[in-house]
């Protein structure tokens, strides 16, 4: 949190000025550890104007950069992530190297952890095709990184020193999450830790759901449902996804809904138009899809939160959305045929 907070001023300045973004990128590339960044494959990105570094996965499209406001958003995002990754790498290398020099293997393990923790996972055998995959799915490396984080992938290699260091970072992150979610629960939020539920690890305030686990909750829910063969709806029903009592293809449908929830915006919007329903299997009109295509995701989240919670609380939740938390406001838990409910609930876990 301290490293992230120090990166926010640079993020704001980079969003407002291409020259500032270029200056911040150059500063990072001139650091003493810059050669080690490159050798250990720490991922750093650049905006289109600088040409110094590759672009972030979420901003691959060159057309998007011509839309007013998008270029500034890209510079802000890339600058923040570069500072976060480089500063964290420097801090971890400094802590590990107090007693002796950090080896290439150890630097690689640290870089792998930071890449995966910040959403830059590896796609084995598909690195060259990743940009093509990115046109179909929204940030596939990010999705891969969520499963790699849960599997502790960065601790598979390295040395006992890096495993201890990375394990400490895991503990700090989840301890911080535990404090925040406990405070929300004490303030009246409803929290569930049932991995079969789409609300796993989220704080539910009315019909607004706060996800502070940075995409890990959806992966945990998917694995929890597949492991137990059951799904738990928001209305509290536990339904089988396999066996004679499950609707035909329910386990497969759960996987399909998860993949559909990861579609790139254009792919998802086209799918909605062709099927006449969104990923939650709710009917949508052409006008709704077109409006969503030109509305920034955070703006939609903020608007729905304000409608549900009122302006003061909705504004606070909107700030969380802008800073990366998942903020979703759903309609009241549906009533009806359990099979129909399950179909929609299977999709929510991937949202």
């Amino acid at each position: 949190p301290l490293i992230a907070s120090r990166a926010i001023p640079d993020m704001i300045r980079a969003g407002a000025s291409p020259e500032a973004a270029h200056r911040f990128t150059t500063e990072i590339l001139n650091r003493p550890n810059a050669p080690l960044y490159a050798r250990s494959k720490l991922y750093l990105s650049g905006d289109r104007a600088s040409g110094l570094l590759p672009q972030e996965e979420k901003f691959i499209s060159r057309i998007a950069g011509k839309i007013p406001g998008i270029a500034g958003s890209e510079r802000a995002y890339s600058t923040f992530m570069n500072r976060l990754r480089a500063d964290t790498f420097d801090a971890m290398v400094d802590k590990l190297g107090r007693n002796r020099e950090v080896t290439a293997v150890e630097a690689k393990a640290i870089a792998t952890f930071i890449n995966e923790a910040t959403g830059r996972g590896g796609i084995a055998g598909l690195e060259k095709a990743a940009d093509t995959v990115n046109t179909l799915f929204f940030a596939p490396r990010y999705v891969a990184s969520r499963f790699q984080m849960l599997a502790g992938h960065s601790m598979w290699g390295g040395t006992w020193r890096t495993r201890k260091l990375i394990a400490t970072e895991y503990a700090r992150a989840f301890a911080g999450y535990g404090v925040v979610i406990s405070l929300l629960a004490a303030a009246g939020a409803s929290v569930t830790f049932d991995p079969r539920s789409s609300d796993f690890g989220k704080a539910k305030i009315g019909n607004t759901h706060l996800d502070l686990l940075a995409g890990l909750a959806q992966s945990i829910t998917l694995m929890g449902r597949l492991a137990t063969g059951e799904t738990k709806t928001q209305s509290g029903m536990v339904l089988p996804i396999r066996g004679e009592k499950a609707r035909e293809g329910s386990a497969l449908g759960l996987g399909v809904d998860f993949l559909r929830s990861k579609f790139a915006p254009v792919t998802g919007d086209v799918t909605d138009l062709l099927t006449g329903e969104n990923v939650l299997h709710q009917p949508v009109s052409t006008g709704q899809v077109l409006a969503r295509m030109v509305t920034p995701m955070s703006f939609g989240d903020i608007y729905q939160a304000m409608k549900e919670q009122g302006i003061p609380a909705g504004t606070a939740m909107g700030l969380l959305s802008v800073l990366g938390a998942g903020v979703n406001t759903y309609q009241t838990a549906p009533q009806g045929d359990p099979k129909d409910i399950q179909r929609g609930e299977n999709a929510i876990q991937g949202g």
Side-chain angles (χ1 to χ4, degrees), residues 226-245:
L226 292 176
T228 62
E230 295 177 335
T231 180
K232 185 176 182 180
T233 71
Q234 286 185 312
S235 55
M237 290 186 295
V238 176
L239 305 171
I241 61 172
R242 289 193 292 267
E244 295 181 357
K245 295 183 178 180

Side-chain angles (χ1 to χ4, degrees), residues 130-216:
D131 289 346
T132 301
V133 175
N134 194 64
T135 63
L136 177 62
F137 292 99
F138 185 79
R141 290 187 181 91
Y142 178 82
V143 177
S145 74
R146 302 302 85 187
F147 289 99
Q148 290 167 336
M149 280 292 291
L150 290 173
H153 175 252
S154 57
M155 292 187 283
W156 295 3
T159 65
W160 71 268
R161 294 202 309 160
T162 59
R163 295 187 192 103
K164 180 180 178 181
L165 183 66
I166 293 171
T168 300
E169 293 300 318
Y170 268 89
R172 290 173 62 187
F174 286 109
Y177 163 77
V179 169
V180 175
I181 203 72
S182 297
L183 290 173
L184 287 170
S190 172
V191 182
T192 179
F193 291 101
D194 188 333
R196 300 171 299 176
S197 171
S198 60
D199 281 334
F200 172 84
K202 300 176 184 178
K204 182 179 178 183
I205 304 173
N207 290 326
T208 299
H209 304 241
L210 301 179
D211 182 3
L212 306 176
L213 285 174
L216 296 176

